């Protein structure tokens, strides 16, 4: 298939977009109450395109899909009138628009995206669910879906790793789960130490490799920190044996080496991946280094990806990239 061209639309594209909106929404099943999309005019769409903007998808110069943006919510990009030409469904048009919309939200400094979906359209609900948009609210016939964008930033020193963890601590609450991954010596325990300091829990925080899990009570009025090292666990069943369910609701739980295992502990979690730029020595015995950072001169890249409804609407990017 000829490549799709996704255009950042301006008021001059309003006639094509109005035509797609009318044909797309007109081809949907009858709904009660009916959609207001048929009321859109060239003037109303041009007004939106002239302020918040939108997207137009073309193939061989022919309009195939469109959406309008909504910037009425601080830190969030709303998607309106998401539509595809009814004659060319299942060609990847909607997916292409969503990808560009997410890039646009990132470029505009937004933390996430929201949109309303009619619950009477199960295929539409499934489309957004497959793209990790989560239902977070309901207003009559509409389900509000949301997604918080992930981020990556370079962290040059252990002190800045502590600072990053401290920033993240301001967003945490009891019941939150963090799954940490990265090579041996990448900085997972250093990150956790910074988190513990910011949460004012009893230390010291060291690698719990040989005890599997440690609980650090709060020295203030905050949640305890449960620090788990799943390095030597072979399966999610072995993680179950630790009985973390008894503490996860009231604690902040950090699981190192928990990929593919710890996610079962909650319907929402943050995946924090720490990567080292450049080569560095690794303990041939496969034992994590105490203190974690091997060469302080090597910068780290920390990637934070939110999963689940808990993180929808949370200012993750604006907090951690500031």
């Amino acid at each position: 298939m000829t490549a799709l061209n996704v255009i950042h639309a301006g008021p001059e594209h309003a006639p094509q977009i109005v035509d797609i909106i009318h044909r797309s929404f007109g081809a949907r099943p009858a709904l009660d109450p009916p959609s207001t999309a048929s009321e859109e005019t060239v003037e109303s769409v041009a007004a939106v395109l002239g302020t918040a903007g939108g997207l137009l998808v073309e193939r061989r110069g022919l309009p195939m899909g469109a959406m309008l943006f909504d910037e009425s919510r601080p830190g969030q990009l709303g998607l309106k009138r998401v539509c595809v030409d009814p004659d060319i469904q299942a060609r990847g048009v909607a997916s292409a628009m969503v990808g560009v919309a997410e890039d646009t939200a990132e470029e505009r400094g937004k933390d996430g995206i929201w949109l309303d979906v009619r619950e009477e359209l199960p295929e539409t609900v499934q489309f957004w669910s497959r793209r990790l948009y989560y239902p977070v609210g309901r207003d009559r016939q509409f389900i509000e879906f949301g997604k918080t964008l992930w981020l990556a930033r370079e962290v040059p020193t252990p002190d800045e790793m502590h600072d990053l963890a401290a920033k993240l601590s301001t967003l945490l609450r009891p019941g939150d789960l963090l799954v940490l991954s990265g090579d041996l010596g990448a900085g997972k325990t250093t990150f956790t130490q910074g988190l513990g300091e910011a949460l004012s829990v009893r230390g010291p925080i060291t690698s719990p490799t040989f005890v599997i899990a440690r609980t650090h009570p709060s020295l203030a009025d905050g949640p305890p920190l449960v620090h788990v090292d799943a390095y030597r666990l072979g399966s999610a069943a072995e993680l179950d044996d630790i009985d973390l369910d008894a503490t996860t609701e009231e604690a902040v739980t950090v699981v190192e080496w928990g990929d593919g295992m710890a996610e079962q502990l909650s319907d929402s979690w943050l995946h924090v991946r720490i990567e080292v730029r450049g080569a560095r020595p690794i303990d041939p015995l496969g034992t994590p280094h105490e203190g974690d950072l091997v060469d302080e001169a090597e910068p780290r890249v920390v990637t934070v990806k939110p999963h689940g409804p808990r993180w929808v609407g949370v200012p993750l990017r604006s907090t951690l990239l500031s």
Side-chain angles (χ1 to χ4, degrees):
M1 187 179 85
T2 302
L4 299 172
N5 185 24
V6 184
I7 301 169
H8 283 277
E12 67 276 14
H13 297 105
Q16 299 101 301
I17 291 178
V18 168
D19 179 61
I20 296 174
I21 289 174
H22 288 173
R23 289 190 292 110
S24 174
F25 282 84
R28 294 182 178 183
L31 302 174
D32 184 23
S35 169
T36 59
S38 61
E39 301 172 11
E40 293 284 11
T41 64
V42 171
E43 292 73 22
S44 66
V45 169
V48 174
L49 294 174
T51 53
L55 299 177
L56 173 65
V57 182
E58 293 183 342
R59 174 174 174 250
R60 294 176 177 170
L62 298 177
M64 307 195 77
M67 69 167 61
L68 304 178
F69 293 147
D70 182 336
E71 291 198 294
S72 60
R73 299 185 185 183
Q76 300 287 315
L77 183 65
L79 308 183
K80 301 280 191 177
R81 307 304 192 201
V82 182
C83 55
V84 176
D85 187 322
D87 294 331
I88 50 93
Q89 299 289 335
R91 301 281 184 89
V93 174
S95 295
M97 283 195 294
V98 173
V100 175
E102 292 179 359
D103 289 343
T104 301
E106 180 179 334
E107 292 166 0
R108 295 187 183 185
K110 306 296 185 182
D111 285 297
I113 294 177
W114 67 274
L115 74 153
D116 290 329
V117 177
R118 293 288 291 252
E119 65 176 342
E120 307 100 315
L121 302 173
E123 291 184 1
T124 304
V125 171
Q126 186 181 50
F127 172 88
W128 292 103
S129 297
R130 286 200 304 266
R131 283 151 185 82
L132 301 182
Y133 284 73
Y134 298 96
V136 293
R138 182 182 295 271
D139 182 13
R140 300 184 299 277
Q141 296 82 12
F142 292 95
I143 303 173
E144 180 180 327
F145 278 79
K147 183 177 186 177
T148 293
L149 301 174
W150 64 278
L151 65 109
R153 60 165 290 180
E154 186 172 289
V155 182
T157 67
D159 285 342
E160 293 191 53
M161 186 72 79
H162 279 222
D163 290 343
L164 178 66
K167 289 180 178 180
L168 180 58
S169 74
T170 65
L171 303 176
L172 298 178
R173 66 190 189 194
D176 283 340
L177 170 66
L178 283 69
V179 180
L180 271 57
S181 66
D183 292 335
L184 293 170
K188 298 182 293 298
T189 299
T190 299
F191 179 90
T192 308
Q193 289 168 345
L195 199 63
E197 291 173 7
L199 292 173
S200 299
V201 301
R202 182 183 301 159
I205 294 176
T206 60
S207 176
T209 301
F210 298 106
V211 296
I212 306 300
R214 288 194 182 102
T215 298
H216 298 271
S218 175
L219 298 175
D221 191 24
L225 175 67
V226 176
H227 186 199
V228 182
D229 194 321
Y231 183 70
R232 286 179 171 78
L233 299 182
S235 66
E238 292 184 36
L239 188 62
D240 273 342
D241 292 339
I242 303 175
D243 195 24
L244 293 175
D245 291 339
T247 60
T248 49
E249 289 188 6
E250 62 267 10
V252 171
T253 302
V254 176
V255 184
E256 298 186 26
W257 304 98
D259 286 25
M261 293 187 287
E263 297 87 350
Q264 66 178 346
L265 297 173
S266 176
D267 66 347
S268 299
W269 67 93
L270 286 181
H271 181 200
V272 180
R273 178 165 183 80
I274 305 174
E275 298 173 282
V276 183
R277 287 195 169 177
R280 59 178 175 73
I282 294 179
D283 186 337
L285 297 179
T287 303
H289 297 272
E290 190 73 17
D292 226 7
L293 286 177
V294 180
D295 185 349
E296 296 183 2
E298 293 174 345
R300 272 60 175 164
V301 176
V302 179
T303 302
V304 182
K305 292 188 176 181
H307 299 267
R310 151 72 176 103
W311 295 102
V312 174
V314 175
L316 196 63
R317 290 180 56 85
S318 57
T319 298
L320 299 186
L321 295 177
S322 62

